[in-house]
Amino acid sequence: MATAQFLALSSSSSASAAARPRACRAAPSRVCVAAAAAASSSGEPARRLAAEFDPAIPLACAVTPPSGWYIDPGFLRLELDRVFLRGWQAVGHIGQVKNPNDFFTGSLGNVEFVICRDANGKLQAFHNVCRHHASLLACGSGQKTCFQCPYHGWTYGLDGTLLKATRISGIKNFNKNDFGLLPIKVATWGPFVLARFDNSSQDTVGDVVGDEWLGSASDLLSRSGINTSLPHICRYFVTTI
């Protein structure tokens, strides 16, 4: 999470610092050297620059990240891998899956997902990809009793079970139980639906999820409460990587 930490640290600098690096009163730290190198050498690998981050640097010695860091596809991929695809991320609102058979879809980077509540009321999350030929399975949001692939008609229950498989005649040792939807860890905290896209065995208990997602702020919000009367508005945008 070095990239995100560095960007957060630098964003608190004054507006004048956005135009040029702030002068350090002490000897230049590793992060100052890395930022200067990035400004003069756009070919420097993003991973190497992020590794130069020094969390102990005083705020007074912070420098403004080069503008290229905000638009470099290499940094975007690095942030997705190190930040957004590791740990819990807010992906929706509990109002979107309030009732059995409710569902909504979304994406994080190049990962397509579907969140749903099955017929028994259990919250589920899966990779939104058919196990047959990797077609996108569901779109938008609403209510469904099953997910049917528009390509060849493979059909899945909202618990991820493969219910119907077409075009498999002649395939030996095919077992439907081996081709259910690939699950994603899902949990709720307050009015938020959260998902975790890595393979961590992290617990999905509310307090654990809140502590990891929000850190010390989770305790403050738990004690102070969250205004759940605010309406949920879902906006979609497309990012090309």
Side-chain angles (χ1 to χ4, degrees):
M1 299 180 67
T3 306
Q5 288 176 310
F6 179 71
L7 294 180
L9 179 65
S10 301
S11 63
S12 62
S13 302
S14 64
S16 61
R20 60 183 182 278
R22 178 181 294 178
C24 294
R25 289 189 288 270
S29 67
R30 290 183 299 155
V31 73
C32 295
V33 174
S40 61
S41 176
S42 59
E44 193 76 15
R47 193 175 299 274
R48 179 180 174 185
L49 288 175
E52 294 292 334
F53 171 69
D54 182 1
I57 184 176
L59 183 59
C61 291
V63 295
T64 303
S67 60
W69 287 25
Y70 296 95
I71 59 175
D72 182 358
F75 263 89
L76 175 58
R77 288 191 292 269
L78 183 61
E79 286 184 325
L80 285 170
D81 176 59
R82 295 298 183 89
V83 181
F84 296 106
L85 294 179
R86 300 188 187 189
W88 294 99
Q89 302 295 334
V91 295
H93 188 274
I94 56 174
Q96 295 175 273
V97 281
K98 182 179 180 180
N99 302 307
N101 300 331
D102 284 350
F103 81 96
F104 68 89
T105 60
S107 62
L108 182 59
N110 61 354
V111 178
E112 300 282 349
F113 61 85
V114 56
I115 311 292
C116 61
R117 197 171 291 278
D118 65 23
N120 295 319
K122 182 179 179 181
L123 189 64
Q124 306 272 9
F126 305 99
H127 287 271
N128 188 18
V129 178
C130 179
R131 296 293 304 280
H132 187 204
H133 284 303
S135 172
L136 195 65
L137 193 60
C139 295
S141 61
Q143 277 206 331
K144 285 182 179 290
T145 56
C146 63
F147 296 120
Q148 186 174 63
C149 179
Y151 195 14
H152 292 121
W154 278 36
T155 305
Y156 303 85
L158 270 65
D159 60 355
T161 303
L162 177 60
L163 302 176
K164 177 184 177 182
T166 62
R167 302 198 177 196
I168 57 171
S169 59
I171 298 179
K172 296 181 179 180
N173 302 319
F174 178 82
N175 186 344
K176 287 199 307 182
N177 296 330
D178 296 334
F179 288 88
L181 295 178
L182 298 178
I184 295 171
K185 285 186 176 296
V186 66
T188 60
W189 191 89
F192 304 104
V193 177
L194 300 103
R196 184 172 183 135
F197 298 88
D198 58 11
N199 295 321
S200 170
S201 59
Q202 183 74 35
D203 202 342
T204 58
V205 177
D207 290 343
V208 175
V209 172
D211 289 344
E212 180 180 338
W213 180 43
L214 296 172
S216 60
S218 66
D219 181 59
L220 176 63
L221 289 173
S222 296
R223 287 186 283 106
S224 302
I226 301 174
N227 186 353
T228 57
S229 65
L230 296 175
H232 168 257
I233 300 175
C234 183
R235 293 188 175 93
Y236 291 96
F237 60 92
V238 177
T239 301
T240 302
I241 300 177

